[in-house]
Amino acid sequence: MTTTNSADAARLLQSAAAADPTLATRLAEAGIDPATVSGPDDLAAVPVQSKDARVAGRDHVLGGGVPRRIFQSPGPIYEAQPDGDDPWRWREALASAGLVPGDIVLNCFGYHLSPAGAMFDEAVVAAGATVLPGGIGNQQLQVQAIRDLGIRGYVGLPSYLKALIDLFAAEGGTPADMPLQYAVVTAEPLPDSLRAELEAWVPAVRMAYGSAEAGLISYEDGRGAGMVTAADIVVDVCDIADGTPVTTDAPGEVVVSILRESAPLVRFGTGDLSAWVIDGGEPVLTDGRRRLVGVLGRTGQATKVRGMFLHPTQVKAVAAKLAGTEALRFLIGREDHKDTIVAEVVVAAGADAEVAQAEAADLIRSELRFRAEVRAVAAIEGDEVIVDERSWD
């Protein structure tokens, strides 16, 4: 944890509760006086806070200060960048993968609205390396930069790394002349088949796990199965029904706490399912820290697609704005290690089908921030507005 003694923990929690009325209410309802808290273990009585319950208002975001950046995650949920160098703590995972001071790292996470791009940007700079802010952009130019600058590191989606490697190969490149030496990938699964393809070109490909609110939670370190939990964060796997921490290999929700000056987290439920790596009935430890098996799924209705969450409420909000459409549903698929998105629309009686499809495509792109193939269908059966048809074998 970032707190080193009981007085420090109490001070931080008191300050956080004074700036965040929602946190103050949660503590009061749990019968906890911030002045008596000596560490995160004293907060077990606080109910788990879901992502949807995060306050989206201005007071919660500012917390009485002036943050360096504010981000908008799907919902919308607004989050301020925490204070300090490497505020989301990804440097630890990057160093484990192979980053050394002086490296150049290609950052292929988005820099607009969502925090992923800034998260890794801050971490690379804090580690004494240089960032090439590629984002989700022109892959031709990114491959050229990898060649021209001798870029050693990559952060981004594993599927996006594969696309860059495919382009590198199409231009005559071989594994022997690929400058990339390590990659930290996250935000989507890394099946064994894709890992093998990537590692044929990049020697160290490491999976990491985090969230917009917490930053780094766990990462592959090459020292054992699963992912070691990060420093400066308390990670629990909790029973979905009552929030009680689980110590066996039974799956549960990943719940995290971080006590810090800005943007503290108290028993925050990520919505992700995981379990502990167990050996001989006991959790496997690495330097005193437990290891997660990885992300096993979601507890709620949100679906992660192309590294971003898509929630049924978002789909319904978009559908309500489409005058020429009676119903909308998303089909999420997977081809060649890339997510595919098909939006099925039922065109309203009397509406022009082509116009309705074009309006749907434009609104999906502007409000949900991704492109989808829009198909007109006669009817949509069932109540599901997101159907995940992906296989991760």
Side-chain angles (χ1 to χ4, degrees):
M1 283 298 302
T2 54
T3 55
T4 57
N5 56 62
S6 59
D8 197 25
R11 177 184 61 80
L12 290 174
L13 198 58
Q14 286 177 292
S15 175
D20 184 351
T22 300
L23 175 58
T25 299
R26 292 177 65 213
L27 294 173
E29 290 178 346
I32 294 175
D33 179 357
T36 66
V37 172
S38 60
D41 290 343
D42 294 340
L43 301 172
V46 179
V48 174
Q49 181 186 45
S50 70
K51 183 181 286 282
D52 290 343
R54 294 285 289 174
V55 179
R58 183 176 185 272
D59 291 342
H60 161 69
V61 173
L62 296 181
V66 181
R68 183 171 173 179
R69 297 183 179 96
I70 294 175
F71 303 97
Q72 183 197 74
S73 297
I77 298 173
Y78 296 98
E79 298 285 350
Q81 176 171 325
D83 294 334
D85 295 334
D86 187 24
W88 293 280
R89 302 166 296 96
W90 287 95
R91 172 172 47 185
E92 181 181 348
L94 291 166
S96 176
L99 182 148
V100 295
D103 279 357
I104 302 176
V105 178
L106 174 61
N107 183 2
C108 288
F109 280 115
Y111 277 76
H112 301 111
L113 291 180
S114 58
M119 282 186 174
F120 284 96
D121 197 296
E122 294 279 352
V124 171
V125 172
T130 299
V131 180
L132 180 66
I136 308 298
N138 189 314
Q139 295 177 356
Q140 189 83 35
L141 292 179
Q142 290 173 358
V143 168
Q144 181 180 346
I146 291 172
R147 291 180 180 276
D148 292 347
L149 300 176
I151 293 176
R152 295 188 70 247
Y154 166 92
V155 292
L157 300 175
S159 60
Y160 197 85
L161 176 57
K162 182 180 183 301
L164 295 179
I165 289 172
D166 288 346
L167 184 55
F168 187 90
E171 294 179 350
T174 68
D177 55 31
M178 165 62 81
L180 292 177
Q181 295 300 302
Y182 58 87
V184 174
V185 297
T186 188
E188 67 181 14
L190 179 61
D192 290 342
S193 57
L194 178 55
R195 184 192 292 271
E197 291 187 45
L198 299 180
E199 290 182 341
W201 290 82
V202 182
V205 177
R206 298 282 178 82
M207 188 70 180
Y209 163 52
S211 75
E213 301 81 6
L216 178 64
I217 296 174
S218 62
Y219 61 95
E220 292 180 338
D221 61 353
R223 300 168 64 187
M227 298 185 287
V228 66
T229 51
D232 296 332
I233 184 171
V234 173
V235 182
D236 287 310
V237 174
C238 293
D239 186 284
I240 297 173
D242 60 14
T244 302
V246 175
T247 57
T248 66
D249 59 358
E253 182 178 16
V254 178
V255 175
V256 299
S257 294
I258 307 176
L259 298 186
R260 57 192 175 192
E261 292 285 356
S262 64
L265 291 177
V266 174
R267 296 264 290 165
F268 172 69
T270 63
D272 295 316
L273 289 171
S274 189
W276 296 119
V277 176
I278 299 293
D279 184 23
E282 296 293 332
V284 173
L285 300 179
T286 300
D287 297 332
R289 288 184 264 162
R290 293 175 291 184
R291 306 183 70 91
L292 292 172
V293 298
V295 178
L296 303 176
R298 293 284 297 170
T299 63
Q301 296 176 304
T303 300
K304 184 169 280 190
V305 54
R306 294 179 184 167
M308 295 286 291
F309 282 112
L310 178 63
H311 196 281
T313 56
Q314 295 175 277
V315 179
K316 293 174 182 177
V318 169
K321 295 180 180 181
L322 297 172
T325 297
E326 292 184 350
L328 170 66
R329 178 174 72 173
F330 285 95
L331 304 180
I332 312 300
R334 190 83 171 167
E335 294 180 5
D336 193 25
H337 301 299
K338 297 178 183 178
D339 289 340
T340 60
I341 307 172
V342 174
E344 294 184 329
V345 296
V346 178
V347 180
D352 184 287
E354 290 188 4
V355 172
Q357 287 176 258
E359 289 179 346
D362 288 343
L363 198 60
I364 290 167
R365 184 167 55 251
S366 63
E367 299 220 354
L368 302 182
R369 289 183 271 169
F370 56 72
R371 297 178 183 273
E373 177 189 350
V374 180
R375 296 177 186 169
V377 296
I380 293 176
E381 297 181 359
D383 297 328
E384 289 184 297
V385 295
I386 304 172
V387 179
D388 192 344
E389 302 176 322
R390 292 173 294 185
S391 172
W392 301 101
D393 295 336

